[in-house]
């Protein structure tokens, strides 16, 4: 996980700091201990670029007497178009990202109850999607950004039982001729949601 953090951090370091650059932290994710810092840089009068990290520091989560791994890290990049002016008002966005996962998948049962898979996955994911939000000043250089995004997430991973045994025969539409632990899944899902508070490092 430490190597993942270094890779993701250095991936956004080359972004140059310029006028009206804003640094942010997602308060919704912070409530459950997930770290989600972001940096937004204006490109033109109505367009900006944002890069953000989504990191879970939890080695595992205890659920019904069992420990479920819950480590993951994502780097998400986004281009935003503001209908009024950059970093102010309503905006539409297109985004793409990459991530590394070591986690049990949460799910909602048909009964409406929340549950975790009795296994976990180790692998990587990529995503592309769209979203929107609203950003406004809350005084001085302080900003508030409310947003959500939906997209296609494609994941490649190995499956493991909770005791660490790799699954050599994962479920597939067409079983392979020989045992193969690699599996893949693709699905539409919401993968960005937040209320971020930010500070504009440099003003006009």
């Amino acid at each position: 996980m430490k190597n993942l953090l270094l890779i993701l951090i250095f991936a956004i370091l080359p972004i140059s700091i310029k006028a009206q650059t804003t640094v942010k932290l997602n308060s919704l994710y912070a409530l459950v201990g997930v770290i989600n810092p972001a940096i937004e840089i204006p490109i033109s009068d109505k367009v900006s670029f944002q890069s953000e990290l989504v990191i879970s520091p939890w080695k595992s989560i205890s659920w019904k007497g069992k420990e479920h791994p819950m480590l993951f890290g994502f780097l998400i990049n986004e281009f935003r178009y503001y209908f009024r002016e950059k970093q102010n008002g309503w905006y539409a966005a297109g985004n793409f990202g990459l991530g590394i996962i070591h986690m049990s998948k949460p799910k909602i049962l048909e009964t409406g109850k929340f549950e975790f898979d009795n296994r976990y996955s180790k692998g990587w994911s990529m995503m592309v999607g769209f979203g929107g939000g609203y950003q406004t000043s809350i005084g001085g250089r302080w900003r508030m950004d409310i947003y959500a995004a939906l997209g296609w997430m494609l994941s490649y991973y190995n499956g493991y039982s909770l005791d660490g045994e790799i699954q050599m025969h994962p479920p597939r539409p067409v079983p392979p001729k020989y045992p193969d632990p690699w599996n893949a899944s693709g699905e539409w899902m919401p993968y960005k949601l937040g209320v971020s508070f930010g500070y504009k490092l440099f003003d006009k």
Side-chain angles (χ1 to χ4, degrees):
M1 193 64 183
K2 292 181 180 179
N3 292 335
L4 166 64
L5 295 179
L6 290 174
I7 292 171
L8 296 181
I9 289 171
F10 280 105
I12 65 171
L13 283 181
I15 299 175
S16 60
I17 302 298
K18 59 184 294 185
Q20 295 183 295
T21 292
T22 303
V23 292
K24 309 173 185 179
L25 187 66
N26 186 348
S27 61
L28 286 186
Y29 288 4
L31 291 175
V32 293
V34 174
I35 305 167
N36 183 199
I39 181 169
E40 183 179 4
I41 301 172
I43 297 176
S44 68
D45 289 341
K46 292 189 175 183
V47 178
S48 71
F49 172 78
Q50 176 164 298
S51 189
E52 63 184 278
L53 300 173
V54 183
I55 301 169
S56 167
W58 303 106
K59 183 176 180 181
S60 64
I61 292 178
S62 181
W63 182 261
K64 295 184 177 179
K66 297 180 180 180
E67 294 296 320
H68 295 262
M70 193 51 63
L71 283 169
F72 58 83
F74 291 92
L75 170 65
I76 303 175
N77 296 307
E78 181 172 84
F79 287 95
R80 296 179 168 187
Y81 177 82
Y82 287 86
F83 298 102
R84 184 189 302 171
E85 60 182 351
K86 60 180 178 291
Q87 296 177 296
N88 188 28
W90 293 100
Y91 62 86
N95 47 63
F96 58 95
L98 292 171
I100 298 175
I101 57 174
H102 180 181
M103 59 181 286
S104 294
K105 185 178 180 180
K107 57 185 178 181
I108 303 296
L109 303 178
E110 293 181 358
T111 58
K113 293 183 178 180
F114 180 83
E115 187 59 271
F116 281 102
D117 278 341
N118 283 321
R119 65 186 191 110
Y120 65 91
S121 302
K122 289 175 64 175
W124 60 276
S125 297
M126 56 184 178
M127 63 201 75
V128 60
F130 58 90
Y134 184 85
Q135 186 171 175
T136 186
S137 171
I138 55 174
R141 296 186 181 185
W142 291 98
R143 315 289 298 175
M144 182 173 68
D145 185 10
I146 304 171
Y147 56 88
L150 172 73
W152 176 257
M153 177 175 284
L154 180 63
S155 301
Y156 292 91
Y157 53 89
N158 290 153
Y160 296 81
S161 63
L162 292 180
D163 59 9
E165 182 179 352
I166 192 169
Q167 296 178 337
M168 297 300 296
H169 300 276
R172 294 190 182 97
V174 180
K177 184 176 180 180
Y178 301 103
D180 183 357
W182 281 101
N183 203 354
S185 64
E187 54 194 336
W188 284 93
M189 62 182 299
Y191 59 77
K192 281 189 61 172
L193 178 67
V195 178
S196 288
F197 292 93
Y199 184 78
K200 192 178 292 185
L201 296 178
F202 302 101
D203 213 335
K204 294 182 179 179

